[in-house]
Amino acid sequence: METLLIIDFGSQYNQLIARRVRESKVFCRIVPPDVPIESIRSQDVRGIILSGGPASIYQKNSPKINPELLRLGVPILGICYGMQALSHLLGGHVRRARSREYGRAELVLAKHPGVLFGGVPRRSVCWMSHGDTVARMPKGFACTARTRSTHLGAFEDPDRKIYGVQFHPEVMHSQYGQRVIQNFIFHVCGFHRSWTMKNFIREAAKKIRREVGNKKVILGLSGGVDSSVAAALLSKAIGRKLVCIFVDNGLLRKNERDQVRRAFAGRFKLDLRIVDARKAFLSKLRGVTDPERKRKIIGHEFIAVFDREAARIREISYLAQGTLYPDVIESRSAFGGPTAVIKSHHNVGGLPEKMKLKLIEPLRELFKDETRQLGRTLGLPETLVGRHPFPGPGLAVRVIGEITPERLEILREADARFIEEIRAAGLYDKIWQAFAVLLPVKSVGVMGDERTYENVVALRAVTSVDGMTADWFEIPKHVLGKISNRIINEVKGVNRVVYDISSKPPATIEWE
């Protein structure tokens, strides 16, 4: 497969670079600076991007470019620190900038800006974030752009196909950043637009069949996007050699068990086993109010249930997980060091070592939006692939305080009505996550001519990109009014509804 490598020098924008490349239908991987040259040679690498990073090139232990990269004959684009590292390696001079640049700047192209700036106007807005600057270019390079504070805003050596930009073309604030990246990808490297979901499915299924052979694979199917898409892809590759275990722990949303059964029944060839473990989980959680204790109890009990069920299945050799590419990237060090651990997931944490199974992660090359796209291509219903994130411990962390079947039922019904109404209002896909929370307090109310003393439900809806930061979503007043009326009138045991307007930070998205 045609591949572009992104050398990770610790930039906070690495995933953005990868997303811009993938959006152009070109496959890419993020790799550490010490990636073995032989590993690169063994792939069909047609271009390399050197990322930015927080270090100074003269700083002790700052990441450096392996000189062997330049001997591969592959086109190279250095971004910010990547440009400075190229200059340093090739005999140029990097120094502290007299005037640091952070944020928007006007990029002015040279008289002959070269192929990298094809289709870019002479003046445009770019995004800067640097304290060092290239003071002198290496021999053979030409300046192709500047800003008011940086006389070397970009340079190139077209004969060796080496390019550098001091700004960040990957961020949305760089007006023609995507054009610059695409000029490098297509006009310099010669990539084809071959990264499509159909191609991915074909290649991934072939790889899975080659690895698994006639052995069986077990997967903990939670009903979330990642595990559902992993199950669909594995099913296409190996059919009924895939055994999916869905554990109903009593902490699921309304009708979730039936939704998962319907989503897979008749559509996919797999062995789906549904385990009713509601009594066991709720018994262990009785009287527990501390959220961390809840999480630990649920995690341990899940492993016990999963392990018991797996022991009944003969000839299982592989454990599948819905690990995504951000999980892989986040497990590396600041400068892209080798992965120390596989990020554990709530539904299979600790199982690979315990069960001595080989791990298979069919989605580990994909971002979240690509995973959703893959699910749609495979035929999963939108109710699964487009759903909001759901916490591993389920409703246990949305029932604040003690968990009882009665309190879970109140929350389940309130949450269902909340989601129904935001869907009806056309808001669901505009919100990153929405849910109801049952508070551990009761309030005085009046229903008819009678005094009530019943539960309070809090509603939470946020916008976000990755969950790291979030802002509350402004649901129109008339929609909130309808949601509140339905919950109070239709859910027995609730007489008050409140709306959470906290951002993250300082609050978190979930309440526990």
Side-chain angles (χ1 to χ4, degrees):
M1 184 186 297
E2 293 181 354
T3 301
L4 183 139
L5 292 186
I6 299 165
I7 307 293
D8 174 13
F9 287 139
S11 171
Q12 61 180 315
Y13 301 134
N14 279 338
Q15 290 192 39
L16 276 181
I17 301 173
R19 294 178 75 85
R20 297 295 170 260
V21 174
R22 297 272 185 96
E23 286 166 4
S24 301
K25 292 186 167 57
V26 169
F27 180 69
C28 66
R29 286 193 177 99
I30 298 174
V31 296
D34 60 357
V35 58
I37 294 298
E38 288 310 312
S39 168
I40 298 176
R41 288 198 179 103
S42 68
Q43 305 174 57
D44 186 10
V45 174
R46 303 200 178 187
I48 295 172
I49 292 180
L50 309 173
S51 84
S56 169
I57 196 67
Y58 299 114
Q59 188 178 321
K60 187 179 178 182
N61 298 325
S62 62
K64 301 294 192 298
I65 299 171
N66 183 343
E68 291 295 317
L69 284 179
L70 276 62
R71 300 189 183 107
L72 293 170
V74 173
I76 295 176
L77 170 62
I79 295 175
C80 196
Y81 180 88
M83 175 182 176
Q84 296 163 15
L86 276 172
S87 183
H88 179 72
L89 177 65
L90 295 170
H93 177 61
V94 179
R95 61 167 170 77
R96 295 298 294 173
R98 291 190 180 92
S99 176
R100 298 180 302 171
E101 273 188 307
Y102 292 96
R104 288 179 179 84
E106 185 182 45
L107 186 74
V108 181
L109 302 186
K111 188 174 181 181
H112 301 290
V115 66
L116 207 61
F117 293 100
V120 178
R122 187 162 186 271
R123 294 176 183 271
S124 64
V125 173
C126 69
W127 187 262
M128 289 286 195
S129 181
H130 67 104
D132 287 358
T133 188
V134 177
R136 187 185 70 248
M137 292 181 294
K139 189 179 289 187
F141 280 75
C143 175
T144 54
R146 62 177 173 80
T147 67
R148 184 175 180 180
S149 301
T150 304
H151 76 281
L152 282 172
F155 64 30
E156 70 171 10
D157 181 345
D159 293 336
R160 287 191 285 177
K161 294 188 176 180
I162 300 176
Y163 303 81
V165 294
Q166 185 58 69
F167 64 97
H168 287 273
E170 68 273 23
V171 304
M172 61 180 290
H173 305 89
S174 287
Q175 200 173 1
Y176 289 87
Q178 182 72 332
R179 176 71 62 86
V180 170
I181 290 172
Q182 289 185 345
N183 284 340
F184 177 71
I185 292 170
F186 299 118
H187 300 314
V188 177
C189 303
F191 278 97
H192 301 91
R193 296 180 185 269
S194 57
W195 173 246
T196 65
M197 280 303 115
K198 286 186 178 178
N199 284 347
F200 175 80
I201 291 168
R202 185 169 56 250
E203 294 299 318
K206 196 185 303 178
K207 182 181 176 184
I208 291 165
R209 283 193 289 268
R210 190 167 56 242
E211 182 178 352
V212 171
N214 292 319
K215 302 292 196 283
K216 285 185 179 179
V217 178
I218 193 169
L219 169 73
L221 180 60
S222 68
V225 176
D226 304 345
S227 68
S228 296
V229 175
L233 179 57
L234 285 160
S235 168
K236 185 171 183 66
I238 59 173
R240 292 189 66 82
K241 289 198 288 288
L242 172 65
V243 181
C244 291
I245 297 178
F246 180 90
V247 178
D248 184 348
N249 56 12
L251 306 168
L252 305 176
R253 289 166 285 196
K254 186 176 181 179
N255 299 329
E256 191 154 14
R257 183 160 121 181
D258 291 336
Q259 286 172 2
V260 171
R261 184 190 282 115
R262 285 197 303 270
F264 284 92
R267 279 192 179 95
F268 301 96
K269 292 181 180 177
L270 52 80
D271 183 355
L272 176 59
R273 305 189 180 194
I274 294 176
V275 182
D276 188 345
R278 289 176 292 182
K279 286 184 180 178
F281 276 86
L282 296 184
S283 172
K284 293 270 178 36
L285 289 166
R286 189 178 295 122
V288 177
T289 59
D290 180 73
E292 285 309 307
R293 277 199 65 205
K294 289 180 186 178
R295 285 187 175 89
K296 287 178 181 175
I297 289 168
I298 292 164
H300 289 314
E301 187 61 21
F302 181 90
I303 291 170
V305 172
F306 192 98
D307 199 15
R308 280 197 302 272
E309 192 64 26
R312 298 174 185 161
I313 307 166
R314 299 177 61 186
E315 299 175 353
I316 290 288
S317 300
Y318 290 87
L319 172 70
Q321 287 195 149
T323 307
L324 302 188
Y325 200 37
D327 301 325
V328 177
I329 297 166
E330 286 163 10
S331 64
R332 294 182 178 138
S333 66
F335 293 135
T339 301
V341 295
I342 294 167
K343 188 173 182 180
S344 63
H345 294 250
H346 74 270
N347 58 334
V348 285
L351 285 171
E353 181 181 352
K354 181 181 177 63
M355 299 173 66
K356 300 189 179 343
L357 298 177
K358 294 177 186 174
L359 191 61
I360 185 167
E361 298 169 308
L363 310 180
R364 64 180 285 116
E365 302 283 10
L366 302 183
F367 289 100
K368 189 76 171 188
D369 58 329
E370 292 173 324
T371 302
R372 293 186 194 276
Q373 187 184 345
L374 174 61
R376 294 182 182 104
T377 306
L378 287 165
L380 281 170
E382 189 62 30
T383 51
L384 271 186
V385 295
R387 73 192 318 183
H388 292 171
F390 188 59
L395 298 182
V397 291
R398 294 179 180 173
V399 171
I400 312 300
E402 184 179 3
I403 297 167
T404 66
E406 295 74 25
R407 298 192 77 213
L408 283 166
E409 190 60 22
I410 290 171
L411 177 59
R412 211 172 267 122
E413 294 297 330
D415 185 76
R417 284 157 178 78
F418 182 26
I419 300 303
E420 281 173 16
E421 289 304 326
I422 61 173
R423 282 192 186 279
L427 302 175
Y428 187 84
D429 293 334
K430 297 177 182 178
I431 297 170
W432 192 76
Q433 191 172 15
F435 55 91
V437 180
L438 184 64
L439 304 187
V441 294
K442 291 190 174 183
S443 73
V444 174
V446 177
M447 289 185 175
D449 293 324
E450 294 184 2
R451 175 185 180 276
T452 62
Y453 189 59
E454 292 182 334
N455 293 283
V456 180
V457 167
L459 306 178
R460 180 82 158 134
V462 299
T463 57
S464 183
V465 174
D466 53 15
M468 300 302 291
T469 60
D471 198 8
W472 61 279
F473 184 83
E474 196 167 344
I475 297 177
K477 183 180 176 182
H478 73 279
V479 178
L480 274 177
K482 189 174 181 182
I483 294 165
S484 176
N485 283 342
R486 280 202 65 193
I487 291 173
I488 291 172
N489 290 330
E490 298 175 19
V491 181
K492 189 177 179 181
V494 178
N495 70 356
R496 192 178 300 268
V497 173
V498 298
Y499 190 51
D500 181 349
I501 58 169
S502 313
S503 62
K504 176 186 179 180
T508 55
I509 295 176
E510 296 285 348
W511 280 48
E512 284 192 342

